[in-house]
């Protein structure tokens, strides 16, 4: 559709970057970046007019996002191979970009943007393996453009920058280099490694949001642990914060957090502080390996949400208090664990506990935390007690009596109260 529309407007149009790279590596992806030599917003407007959907455009960058989620069922009618495609095969949106060059006035600044050819557009990109372009319009359909040696580096398995200021322009590319290297089992090329070594310190100036975005992407990859190990080896974690490290011995724990199905019986929340549960547990498992102060310092540097900071503290405290209780009563265990996020308790469990403590944790999750007396504040009121702090005390004592087996029926509870 895009090719036909671009052909009508007489504009060369290309699929670039990740899609072409993945196609050549035989790892199909549906991540389409479309570049137009001309005005992408005009092309997007023509597509919207003819086929529906809606647009979000940024005139400063000459980019448009064509959102097609609500017209996918109609769009598949235009695709070849009768019935071959399903609406769900199509992406929810397509990014259309006007070919452009970017200048950085100073490191980490927002770039100054100018229209350009596809060749220059490809040159502003991070690595040669991301600079291949597949042309779509008219008789050029299927032509592969390889201006910057991308094919060669794909064959060799090299992650190579296009110019020596690439990491100065955008230091997060150092993290991307590691992600691509480990994802494809490539090697970061020699000169690129030197440039990383020279630019490492620039990571200090990068915002928490941008760093977190890159780390989040790593945690959603199959080789996450290998990526973190490589970041550590290259000194990139310590550049983010001096206490930030990775050790290979943490690998299994991290992988179990990222891959193992979350146990339904734990009733874990889906997220905490706007982070999906699994990612929350993975970061926590990582940060709880550090001494408390270091864990908190790294979490602050990366601006983790409050529940993460609270969980780091809670886990550290439980690690001290729980083993110190010798043959504790259930009420003592509940007293230690109530109020702590179940995600933190699950992280503690994945981290590995002494067998006797693991049993206590399991008992708490599966039984004790659910035990509550029948009596509530209103009942105490009816008994003539003046509302106040005593309520809480009485109800806690009552719950403890249930937990410790001193009460086991509603009648016994009434007796206890009287
Ligand atoms: N890009 C860049 N510098 C960055 C981020 C992105 O030059 N800091 C370029 C890359 O060349 C990339 C394109 O913008 O090909 C699109 O970015 P993204 O979608 O993140 O890259 P993909 O290669 O598609 O990555 P992934 O396979 O992880 O989706």
């Amino acid at each position: 559709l895009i090719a036909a529309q671009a052909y009508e407007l007489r504009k060369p149009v290309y699929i670039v970057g990740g899609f072409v790279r993945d196609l050549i590596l035989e790892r199909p992806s549906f991540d389409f970046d479309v570049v137009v030599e001309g005005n992408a917003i005009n092309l997007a407007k023509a597509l919207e007019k003819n086929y529906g959907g809606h647009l979000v455009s940024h005139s400063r960058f000459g980019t448009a996002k064509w959102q097609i989620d609500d017209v996918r069922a109609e769009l598949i009618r235009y695709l070849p191979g009768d019935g071959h495609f399903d609406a769900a095969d199509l992406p929810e949106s397509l990014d259309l970009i006007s070919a452009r060059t970017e200048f950085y006035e100073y490191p980490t600044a927002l770039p100054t943007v100018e229209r350009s050819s596809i060749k220059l557009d490809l040159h502003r990109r991070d690595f040669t393996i991301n600079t291949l372009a597949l042309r779509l319009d008219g008789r050029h359909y299927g032509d592969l453009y390889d201006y910057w040696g991308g094919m060669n580096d794909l064959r060799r398995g090299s992650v190579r920058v296009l110019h020596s200021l690439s990491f100065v322009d955008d230091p997060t590319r150092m993290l991307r280099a590691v992600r691509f290297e480990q994802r494809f089992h490539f090697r970061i090329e020699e000169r690129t490694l030197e440039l990383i070594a020279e630019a490492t310190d620039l990571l200090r100036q990068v915002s928490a949001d941008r760093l977190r975005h890159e780390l989040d992407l790593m945690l959603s990859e199959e080789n996450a642990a290998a990526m973190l190990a490589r970041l550590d080896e290259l000194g990139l974690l310590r550049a983010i914060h001096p206490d930030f490290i990775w050790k290979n011995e943490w690998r299994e724990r991290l992988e179990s957090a990222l891959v193992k199905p979350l146990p339904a019986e734990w009733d874990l929340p889906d997220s905490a502080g706007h982070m999906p549960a699994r990612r929350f547990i993975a970061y926590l498992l990582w940060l709880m390996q550090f001494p408390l102060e270091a864990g908190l310092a790294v979490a602050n540097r990366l601006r983790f949400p409050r529940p993460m900071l609270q969980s780091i503290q809670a886990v550290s405290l439980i690690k001290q208090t729980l083993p110190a209780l010798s043959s504790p009563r259930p009420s003592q265990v509940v007293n230690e664990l109530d109020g702590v996020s179940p995600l933190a308790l699950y992280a503690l469990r994945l981290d590995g506990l002494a067998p006797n403590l693991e049993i206590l944790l399991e008992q708490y999750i599966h039984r004790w935390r659910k035990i509550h007396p029948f009596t509530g504040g209103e009942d105490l009121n009816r008994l003539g007690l003046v509302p106040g702090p005593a309520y809480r005390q009485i109800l806690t004592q009552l719950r403890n009596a249930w937990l410790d087996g001193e009460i086991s029926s509603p009648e016994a509870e009434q007796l206890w109260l009287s």
Side-chain angles (χ1 to χ4, degrees):
L1 296 184
I2 294 172
Q5 193 69 62
Y7 184 63
E8 224 168 86
L9 299 174
R10 297 285 179 271
K11 297 292 177 207
V13 67
Y14 309 80
I15 292 194
V16 302
F19 176 83
V20 189
R21 177 198 68 215
D22 293 345
L23 193 69
I24 291 165
L25 292 174
E26 295 178 20
R27 299 167 61 115
S29 70
F30 290 97
D31 175 9
F32 299 105
D33 285 320
V34 177
V35 174
V36 189
E37 271 181 317
N39 190 333
I41 298 178
N42 287 348
L43 174 63
K45 279 183 181 158
L47 287 164
E48 183 196 30
K49 184 163 164 259
N50 290 338
Y51 303 106
H54 54 275
L55 290 190
V56 183
S57 30
H58 296 279
S59 46
R60 175 175 136 79
F61 289 101
T63 60
K65 190 179 269 296
W66 182 30
Q67 272 162 346
I68 54 170
D69 42 341
D70 45 357
V71 290
R72 282 185 294 182
E74 287 107 80
L75 290 184
I76 49 166
R77 286 192 286 120
Y78 297 99
L79 296 182
D82 230 2
H84 203 75
F85 290 97
D86 196 66
D89 291 331
L90 294 182
E92 289 183 359
S93 65
L94 288 164
D95 289 320
L96 302 163
I97 301 161
S98 310
R100 66 182 195 254
T101 37
E102 293 177 351
F103 305 95
Y104 294 81
E105 307 270 343
Y106 56 91
T108 72
L110 273 181
T112 308
V113 180
E114 246 174 42
R115 287 287 155 75
S116 78
S117 64
I118 183 75
K119 181 173 175 183
L120 285 179
D121 181 280
L122 295 169
H123 190 257
R124 77 186 160 83
R125 288 161 190 273
D126 47 5
F127 307 111
T128 58
I129 55 170
N130 290 334
T131 62
L132 291 165
L134 204 55
R135 190 158 168 180
L136 299 178
D137 54 295
R139 66 189 169 81
H140 297 287
Y141 180 83
D143 289 354
L144 183 69
Y145 291 74
D146 178 16
Y147 290 110
W148 306 107
M151 226 19 207
N152 215 4
D153 282 333
L154 271 183
R155 262 191 227 112
R156 269 203 293 237
S158 273
V159 179
R160 178 198 307 270
V161 284
L162 282 98
H163 58 86
S164 58
L165 289 178
S166 191
F167 297 129
V168 177
D169 290 345
D170 180 355
T172 64
R173 287 177 172 170
M174 294 187 268
L175 310 190
R176 288 174 61 87
V178 166
R179 184 153 58 87
F180 291 126
E181 178 192 56
Q182 297 301 314
R183 182 201 289 171
F184 300 129
H185 305 289
F186 280 12
R187 292 305 286 172
I188 300 175
E189 169 272 339
E190 204 76 356
R191 175 71 187 134
T192 302
L193 274 178
E194 281 173 23
L195 293 169
I196 289 180
E198 287 164 21
T200 303
D201 278 351
L202 292 176
L203 282 176
R204 283 182 219 294
Q205 302 163 28
V206 178
S207 73
D209 278 356
R210 297 191 66 205
L211 293 170
R212 278 262 304 282
H213 176 68
E214 291 301 327
L215 293 171
D216 288 354
L217 288 175
M218 287 191 178
L219 291 188
S220 55
E221 297 255 356
E222 219 171 283
N223 290 340
M227 292 173 188
L228 304 184
R230 185 70 161 142
L231 287 181
D232 187 81
E233 184 184 39
L234 295 175
L236 297 177
L237 293 177
R238 280 182 203 276
I240 293 171
H241 188 281
D243 292 326
F244 203 16
I245 56 166
W246 172 260
K247 289 186 187 171
N248 277 329
E249 65 197 66
W250 302 333
R251 181 186 193 122
E252 234 171 86
R253 268 167 276 191
L254 184 84
E255 282 172 354
S256 57
L258 293 174
V259 180
K260 223 165 128 175
L262 298 176
E265 328 81 75
W266 278 61
D267 286 328
L268 294 170
D270 295 334
S271 67
H274 303 296
M275 282 171 84
R278 211 179 260 294
R279 192 184 297 156
F280 185 91
I281 297 166
Y283 275 123
L284 179 57
L285 255 174
W286 184 2
L287 296 177
M288 69 196 255
Q289 307 306 324
F290 305 170
L292 176 60
E293 290 310 314
L296 291 174
V298 173
N300 275 317
R301 163 67 177 102
L302 291 172
R303 284 184 181 272
F304 276 109
R306 264 180 76 79
M308 179 66 78
L309 296 160
Q310 288 164 338
S311 292
I312 294 172
Q313 267 164 325
V315 162
S316 159
L317 191 66
I318 294 169
K319 275 181 162 179
Q320 290 168 19
T321 52
L322 212 53
L325 300 171
S326 57
S327 12
R329 277 175 284 122
S331 62
Q332 285 177 292
V333 176
V334 169
N335 192 37
E336 295 298 333
L337 303 185
D338 258 6
V340 177
S341 160
L343 295 174
L345 297 178
Y346 186 63
L348 202 61
R349 154 89 202 281
L350 288 180
D351 190 44
L353 286 167
N356 60 325
L357 300 182
E358 189 170 326
I359 291 171
L360 293 180
L361 186 56
E362 294 280 341
Q363 290 276 38
Y364 170 74
I365 288 294
H366 301 308
R367 292 184 46 209
W368 299 337
R369 69 173 169 163
K370 297 172 191 160
I371 293 178
H372 294 281
F374 291 98
T375 308
E378 275 178 23
D379 302 304
L380 295 184
N381 206 354
R382 231 175 288 128
L383 287 173
L385 273 158
V386 186
Y391 270 41
R392 182 192 261 278
Q393 249 173 22
I394 294 171
L395 293 176
T396 306
Q397 280 178 27
L398 189 57
R399 184 176 181 215
N400 289 349
W402 270 100
L403 285 162
D404 297 340
E406 292 156 20
I407 298 177
S408 51
S409 67
E411 296 75 32
E413 182 171 323
Q414 286 310 314
L415 215 59
W416 188 96
L417 272 174
S418 62

